[in-house]
Amino acid sequence: VPSAPDPLGAWKTTQRLARVLAVEQAESAGGFDALLVLPGGEVVEAARGNLYAVVDGRVRTPPLAAGCLPGVVRGLLLESLEG
């Protein structure tokens, strides 16, 4: 779902309505969650969950500078998968 963080650079903390609408759009298409995508095509965050992948044995997740929430689960995943 094309999206953009609020002027403070946050997603989940201040964009609740945008996330609810994105999830509704995903559900109407048969999905469960929505990926939030910057205008340049960079996937930043999932509306309901954490976004990460293991590529070549390394954990990849969008950088905090992109506006994703530095949440507890994100931190625990990075710590446990890279540690």
Side-chain angles (χ1 to χ4, degrees):
V1 174
S3 194
D6 71 6
L8 299 176
W11 288 88
K12 288 184 180 178
T13 55
T14 59
Q15 291 280 339
R16 179 165 173 78
L17 178 58
R19 287 182 293 108
V20 168
L21 294 174
V23 168
E24 285 180 1
Q25 182 179 349
E27 288 175 341
S28 70
F32 172 75
D33 202 348
L35 297 178
L36 305 177
V37 181
L38 292 174
E42 179 184 7
V43 178
V44 176
E45 196 161 50
R48 288 182 171 166
N50 292 287
L51 179 63
Y52 73 97
V54 179
V55 179
D56 296 327
R58 296 198 60 208
V59 178
R60 305 288 183 183
T61 188
L64 296 178
C68 64
L69 182 68
V72 173
V73 173
R74 180 185 186 275
L76 291 172
L77 282 171
L78 289 173
E79 183 179 304
S80 67
L81 293 174
E82 288 190 342

